[in-house]
Structure formats: C-alpha cells, structure tokens
Amino acid sequence: MKTAEQASAVDELYREYKGLLLSIAYRMLGSMTEAEDAVQDVFVSVSRQDGLELEHPKAYLVKMLTNRALNMMKAAPRRRENYPGQWLPEPIIQLDDAEQPLNRMLRRERLGYALLVLLQNCTPQERAVFVLRESLGYEYADIAAALNKTEAACRKIFSRAAAKLGHRPEPEEGEASLDAKMEAFLQSFAQALGSGRIESFIPLLTDDAVLLGDGGGIVRSALNPILSRKRVFAFLAGIHRKGSLTGELRPAEISGQRGLLLVRDGKPPIAIVLEPDEQFEAVRAVYLITNPEKLTLIT
C-alpha cells in the first residue's frame, strides 16, 4: 500500500519532469497522443514501485521513457501498414504569439516539423540516439546508460542517423537568417495560393521536390508521394482549381517550425509545412496535413 509520502513524491516527479519526457517522446514518436500515453505509462510504473528512492530521478525517468518509446516505435510500422496513404507526424499548431514551452524547445532545432518527418526514415534506435544527443544535448555516456549500450555503439548509431537526416546549416554572419529565408518561402507560397498563380511558386522548388499529403482516409489526399517539380505543380494546380486550397491562410508555428494553416469554411483545415534544401536556397518538400484527427492540437 502506498503511503501519502510516496504518492507525494511521485506527484512531484510528475510536475518536474512531465514536460521534458513529453518533448522526448513526441520527437521520437511523432504523435502527441502516443507521447502522452508513453509518459503516462512511465509514471504508472513508477507509482507502483515500493520504497521509491531515486538518486538520479531525471536519468531514471528518461531511461524508462526511452525504452517505452522504443517499444512503441518498433510496433509502429505494423500499425501503419493499413494506414491509408502517407503517414505524417501529428503537428502541434500555434496561431497566437504566446509561444508554448514545447514549441519553444522544438524551435531550437531549426527544422521542427520537417525534422520529425525525416526522423521517420531512421530506425527506432537511431531516432532515440539522435533525439537524446542532438535535440536534448545528452552526453554519450548518458545515452549509453539509457539504452544499455556502449558509448562507441551510440556514436556509430548517431552517425548513421545524422547521415540519413542530412546537414542542417546555421546562419553565417553577414547573411540573411535561415528564419528569414523560410518566411520568404512561405510568403511566396501564400501569394501563389492567394493569386491562383501556382506557377509563381514553382521556381522555388528543387527539381526532385516531393509533396506528401496525409488525409488519413478521412479527407481526400494524395495517397502516394508526388515526385518532381513538374508533378508537384500539376497536383497543386489541380486541387486549387477544385477549390481545395480556398480559405484563409494564417501564419502558424507548426511543431517549432514556421508554417501556414489554411482555414476553410465547412472543411477541416490544412497544415502546410515546407522543407528547405540543405543550403536553404530552395524547397525540397511540401507537406499537407489534412487528417482532422491530427489537427486537434491548435492553440
């Protein structure tokens, strides 16, 4: 039977570390719903332990959370086999100026939502190591302890993940900031939609640009990736003619990255995210999230 003192200790851990654990789980899983489930599972397990005395509570909780997220990531491909069309991460969308804590943490990573998409190309272990190292600045010794691996193994895993994700540049002194470049891409996209002249945005796409849509089988969307600048243009122009891109475009912070939210009368909104190339000179991916079940985290 748990004492009041033990229950109070668990509550204190929950208040202090819930935000950190959520940010880790969300980055690894790409779903806030699943992240909340993972964090809840961790604290349920902690609450059931007798004589709770943790010398290093943060390390202990991060290790538990990481292993829980790894198990969920390993099961994810099986769950998504029957998912209609492309699966994209669940976006956290913020429309006001009061930045939320999780979005603030994600924004430090420069490619917030786009990075979540790219992480889906990594194995569960690569994703875990990359998030702990790159996103949260953990030392390899701490990562090794969390994953029960050697530091050398974790370094190799990180290198593989980084190679899959590509180089993410920082602004150089004297040059326009990367944020300003992203804003320019978004403004061009918004102007193209507003004017109906989709072709005005197309020169900003790379030759091998890709468009991914996620309607979840609820809203009509591209079931397969749209590949190449020419086909992306044809697709956008086609759905624009049908009125699917008609509505009010609002600037938004989408999982820590600047994006757009298209608010439509009588229809679910569309979250729009652009992924720049490694030099931030062009757009190599367009993400359209229309699945209404993934568009509930809007503040």
Side-chain angles (χ1 to χ4, degrees), residues 196-268:
R197 297 181 61 251
I198 305 298
E199 65 275 10
S200 65
F201 175 74
I202 301 309
L204 295 179
L205 294 173
T206 60
D207 290 338
D208 59 350
V210 59
L211 183 147
L212 299 179
D214 182 347
I218 301 172
V219 176
R220 291 190 65 180
S221 181
L223 294 178
N224 299 305
I226 308 297
L227 304 174
S228 82
R229 174 194 290 167
K230 181 179 179 180
R231 291 184 178 180
V232 170
F233 165 63
F235 178 82
L236 289 174
I239 63 174
H240 187 275
R241 284 195 300 271
K242 296 176 182 178
S244 298
L245 297 178
T246 301
E248 178 191 359
L249 272 173
R250 301 184 61 181
E253 191 91 359
I254 301 179
S255 297
Q257 177 178 346
R258 299 303 295 170
L260 298 167
L261 186 70
L262 180 63
V263 182
R264 306 182 296 171
D265 289 337
K267 298 179 181 179

Side-chain angles (χ1 to χ4, degrees), residues 45-210:
S45 296
V46 170
S47 69
R48 290 173 177 169
Q49 296 180 21
D50 293 320
L52 182 64
E53 292 183 8
L54 302 179
E55 185 177 356
H56 303 290
K58 178 180 175 181
Y60 179 79
L61 292 171
V62 168
K63 181 174 183 176
M64 286 188 68
L65 187 279
T66 299
N67 284 301
R68 177 67 185 127
L70 279 169
N71 290 334
M72 295 174 74
M73 283 189 279
K74 290 173 183 175
R78 294 193 296 272
R79 293 198 308 272
R80 294 172 190 166
E81 282 178 358
N82 297 322
Y83 192 84
Q86 302 296 305
W87 186 95
L88 290 173
E90 178 184 17
I92 299 173
I93 302 170
Q94 181 181 313
L95 294 172
D96 57 32
D97 294 328
E99 193 168 40
Q100 302 300 313
L102 182 53
N103 259 336
R104 190 180 306 120
M105 295 179 73
L106 291 166
R107 188 160 174 72
R108 298 174 191 160
E109 297 166 2
R110 186 65 58 193
L111 287 180
Y113 186 83
L115 182 58
L116 291 178
V117 177
L118 293 172
L119 278 168
Q120 304 307 308
N121 298 322
C122 296
T123 67
Q125 284 195 347
E126 289 169 350
R127 220 180 303 174
V129 170
F130 186 88
V131 168
L132 293 176
R133 176 65 181 174
E134 185 75 2
S135 299
L136 300 170
Y138 274 49
E139 298 296 332
Y140 281 110
D142 298 324
I143 299 172
L147 297 177
N148 293 320
K149 291 186 174 295
T150 65
E151 290 186 45
C154 290
R155 290 178 186 275
K156 289 181 180 179
I157 293 171
F158 179 83
S159 295
R160 290 200 301 268
K164 291 180 180 179
L165 297 173
H167 174 62
R168 291 176 298 140
E170 293 294 332
E172 296 181 10
E173 187 176 355
E175 294 185 358
S177 72
L178 302 185
D179 285 344
K181 290 185 178 182
M182 275 303 308
E183 290 293 344
F185 291 146
L186 291 168
Q187 288 178 13
S188 295
F189 190 86
Q191 290 171 0
L193 291 189
S195 65
R197 297 181 61 251
I198 305 298
E199 65 275 10
S200 65
F201 175 74
I202 301 309
L204 295 179
L205 294 173
T206 60
D207 290 338
D208 59 350
V210 59

Side-chain angles (χ1 to χ4, degrees), residues 7-18:
S8 177
V10 173
D11 288 343
E12 185 176 344
L13 288 174
Y14 184 81
R15 288 192 297 271
E16 184 169 357
Y17 294 109
K18 177 191 175 184

